[in-house]
Amino acid sequence: MAYNKLVKKEMPIKMLRKSMLSGIVIRSYAKNKNFLSDAMVKKLREHSKHHTIKHMRSMVGKIERGMSFSKAHQETMKKYGK
């Protein structure tokens, strides 16, 4: 039968490598390591499932300079995209 010959496609390498960032990694993006609260780190971890590392670094930097989460996200999307 024809369906036996179908080979399951493997996920692209980028997708395999991309996983949810840990809180330690997210905190390491900030210059002041104690700046981010646990709640903010949790929110950024969930956000990291859908965005690149470059996007996340940019967002953490903007948040650290006093920008809100949504404003930091909007500006980062304009500059780096997803």
Side-chain angles (χ1 to χ4, degrees), residues 27-45:
R27 278 201 166 99
S28 72
Y29 296 157
K31 289 180 181 168
N32 177 2
K33 305 304 179 215
N34 297 323
F35 172 75
L36 296 170
S37 66
D38 290 339
M40 182 59 79
V41 169
K42 185 178 178 182
K43 189 172 184 178
L44 287 165
R45 278 178 56 206

Side-chain angles (χ1 to χ4, degrees), residues 39-56:
M40 182 59 79
V41 169
K42 185 178 178 182
K43 189 172 184 178
L44 287 165
R45 278 178 56 206
E46 288 297 314
H47 192 71
S48 74
K49 290 179 184 177
H50 308 286
H51 295 284
T52 63
I53 292 170
K54 190 183 279 189
H55 176 100
M56 297 307 298

Side-chain angles (χ1 to χ4, degrees), residues 10-37:
E10 291 185 25
M11 291 175 62
I13 293 170
K14 186 175 182 182
M15 294 297 287
L16 290 172
R17 180 179 52 82
K18 175 80 174 127
S19 61
M20 187 171 59
L21 298 175
S22 71
I24 294 168
V25 171
I26 290 171
R27 278 201 166 99
S28 72
Y29 296 157
K31 289 180 181 168
N32 177 2
K33 305 304 179 215
N34 297 323
F35 172 75
L36 296 170
S37 66

